[in-house]
Amino acid sequence: MLYNNLIDFNNILPIHLRPPEERADLLGEVIPGLEINHQEEPGFEVITRVDLGVRPDVQRGEPLSPEQWGGHQDPEGRVVNVPHLKQVIFKGGLCHMLRKEVWKFLLGYFPWDSTLEERKAVTRDKTDEYFRMKLQWKSVSEEQERRNSKLRDNRSLIEKDVNRTDRTNRFYEGIDNPGLVLLHDILMTYCMFDFDLGYVQGMSDLLSPLLFVMENEVDAFWCFVSFMDQMHQNFEEQMQGMKTQLVQLSSLLRLLDLNFWNYLESQDSGFLYFCFRWLLIRFKRELSFPDVLRLWEVMWTGLPCQNLHLLVCCSILDSEKQKIMEENYGFNEILKHVNELSMKLDIEEILRKAEAICLQIKGCKVS
């Protein structure tokens, strides 16, 4: 598969995106409601002035407690006052004991307005559906597989990736770990669910935290399906989702700090290739495992906008820009510096600054 050659998580993919003069201003998609007027006429340069104003100071909150979660359910188990609930989760995440239950709602496996009995029925139906799909690849004979190159390629890739996914985590460490078996089986079953996409390197990184939290093969699979619905374009062969996000991020960074963006441009880094891994697997390899859980559940609230991950990128870069410019880093040094940030990032500080950047942009004045 094409991705075998393209994706090397220790390096940044040298994709050639559109040249600067062709890039669309996509900030309206980054921050809903934000529209910046760019008129283009031959022979004229139209300058739009943006006054960002002062970046507000925001505070993070405490994780949602079991008592708070219980208070948001009616006698039949429906979740009530969902906007307020999402706001609490956005501000502080969830205490770990709630994740197994609440993530199913955040990812859309369970509807917020479903009753407890309705959710039991969903679980029964989804369990049957999962094992029917699992039986499809489990029952393939050696002779059939010998004649099915895509199944062989998927199985080979999955086995390689599973054997190196989160092996320092107790859930996956050691030889013949049952967690690894489940990771493998879920990914193989996903190939039956999505024949066109199959398995692409990096998908094991997205599944691992879900399985760790769910501790259940079926629940982890369907939560993974929901997550992949959001992430699908990142893994498609044409990589349109990745290209779009890098263009959006470049536009956003240019708005926030033109001097820094110009510096990156001068170092052939204006397309932000060094952020590729961040976007592809949502910071999975940049943060500690507990911090990944916190970041993802906050992102799944959809607050303060649908593209919080881009604001998280800006938050990290905002903290690193002074060092990058003062040390006069070139392309290779920038890439090395960004890669070395892995496991050194403070997720609560990053989220605090990301929210502040969003509020700053929403309050900006365009003239």
Side-chain angles (χ1 to χ4, degrees):
M1 185 173 285
L2 181 64
Y3 275 83
N4 295 343
N5 300 321
L6 288 183
I7 298 180
D8 178 357
F9 286 116
N10 296 316
N11 297 289
I12 296 301
L13 176 67
I15 310 171
H16 295 291
L17 299 180
R18 290 178 281 175
E21 63 269 16
E22 293 181 12
R23 281 181 292 180
D25 181 1
L26 298 170
L27 285 169
E29 298 179 25
V30 177
I31 308 294
L34 175 65
E35 296 180 3
I36 294 182
N37 181 32
H38 286 293
Q39 301 175 20
E40 295 184 12
E41 296 182 30
F44 293 90
E45 180 181 2
V46 180
I47 300 176
T48 300
R49 295 177 57 193
V50 180
D51 178 12
L52 286 174
V54 178
R55 184 173 298 168
D57 183 32
V58 300
Q59 301 297 322
R60 299 284 298 154
E62 294 296 320
L64 183 78
S65 69
E67 292 75 22
Q68 288 174 300
W69 173 242
H72 277 82
Q73 296 177 60
D74 70 13
E76 293 185 304
R78 299 181 188 87
V79 182
V80 298
N81 201 357
V82 176
H84 176 262
L85 183 67
K86 287 184 176 180
Q87 183 65 31
V88 174
I89 297 171
F90 168 70
K91 278 293 191 178
L94 298 158
C95 71
H96 186 69
M97 66 182 297
L98 288 178
R99 286 178 169 139
K100 186 179 298 188
E101 184 175 3
V102 182
W103 278 21
K104 296 173 189 176
F105 291 92
L106 289 171
L107 285 165
Y109 178 29
F110 289 154
W112 293 101
D113 61 354
S114 60
T115 65
L116 182 59
E117 290 304 312
E118 288 170 341
R119 294 195 289 274
K120 289 179 180 178
V122 167
T123 300
R124 286 194 298 270
D125 292 343
K126 291 297 186 182
T127 299
D128 290 344
E129 187 177 355
Y130 173 78
F131 284 109
R132 282 198 302 272
M133 288 187 290
K134 183 175 180 177
L135 184 61
Q136 290 173 357
W137 64 266
K138 278 281 193 179
S139 60
V140 170
S141 68
E142 290 185 11
E143 180 67 15
Q144 285 178 296
E145 187 162 333
R146 189 172 66 81
R147 301 172 187 273
N148 189 331
S149 60
K150 185 165 186 179
L151 180 61
R152 288 199 313 272
D153 290 345
N154 282 330
R155 188 190 295 273
S156 177
L157 271 176
I158 288 170
E159 289 174 354
K160 288 177 182 176
D161 277 4
V162 163
N163 284 329
R164 58 192 180 196
T165 300
D166 292 323
R167 296 309 301 275
T168 58
N169 186 304
R170 284 192 304 169
F171 195 80
Y172 300 109
E173 68 183 0
I175 301 173
D176 297 326
N177 187 301
L180 296 179
V181 175
L182 291 178
L183 202 62
H184 170 275
D185 287 2
I186 293 170
L187 292 170
M188 284 294 296
T189 305
Y190 186 79
C191 294
M192 297 294 104
F193 178 81
D194 192 336
F195 284 99
D196 290 339
L197 183 63
Y199 179 78
V200 182
Q201 185 185 3
M203 286 165 56
S204 63
D205 279 290
L206 299 185
L207 173 58
S208 170
L210 297 171
L211 180 57
F212 171 82
V213 166
M214 295 299 152
E215 300 180 300
N216 177 280
E217 183 176 2
V218 174
D219 291 344
F221 174 82
W222 290 111
C223 286
F224 179 65
V225 166
S226 296
F227 197 14
M228 281 301 300
D229 286 345
Q230 302 174 27
M231 304 292 290
H232 202 279
Q233 279 197 314
N234 283 15
F235 296 95
E236 293 169 1
E237 191 166 334
Q238 298 302 315
M239 305 186 76
Q240 189 56 52
M242 292 301 301
K243 295 175 184 178
T244 299
Q245 289 173 85
L246 287 168
V247 171
Q248 290 176 326
L249 180 57
S250 182
S251 298
L252 183 55
L253 190 62
R254 186 177 184 180
L255 171 72
L256 290 168
D257 194 324
L258 185 58
N259 288 335
F260 181 44
W261 186 87
N262 284 335
Y263 177 83
L264 294 175
E265 278 279 283
S266 72
Q267 303 302 322
D268 297 321
S269 297
F271 285 131
L272 310 179
Y273 297 135
F274 51 84
C275 296
F276 183 87
R277 185 173 69 184
W278 296 0
L279 296 171
L280 181 72
I281 51 176
R282 290 296 190 270
F283 309 92
K284 168 61 168 52
R285 298 199 183 178
E286 319 312 316
L287 300 167
S288 68
F289 207 85
D291 284 354
V292 170
L293 307 185
R294 172 70 76 242
L295 173 63
W296 286 6
E297 64 200 13
V298 168
M299 287 195 304
W300 292 334
T301 65
L303 300 172
C305 63
Q306 292 299 320
N307 288 296
L308 177 60
H309 59 288
L310 298 181
L311 297 174
V312 169
C313 291
C314 291
S315 174
I316 296 171
L317 294 174
D318 186 73
S319 298
E320 302 301 322
K321 64 184 180 183
Q322 185 173 351
K323 183 175 182 62
I324 289 172
M325 290 191 288
E326 284 183 353
E327 298 290 336
N328 197 30
Y329 284 164
F331 180 91
N332 289 332
E333 290 82 9
I334 293 171
L335 178 56
K336 182 175 182 290
H337 178 72
V338 168
N339 282 341
E340 290 175 349
L341 294 175
S342 179
M343 302 301 150
K344 299 176 183 176
L345 299 168
D346 180 343
I347 187 58
E348 292 300 325
E349 175 59 23
I350 289 169
L351 287 170
R352 185 195 64 75
K353 184 177 287 188
E355 181 185 0
I357 290 172
C358 181
L359 293 174
Q360 183 183 21
I361 294 175
K362 283 187 172 181
C364 76
K365 299 177 181 178
V366 181
S367 59

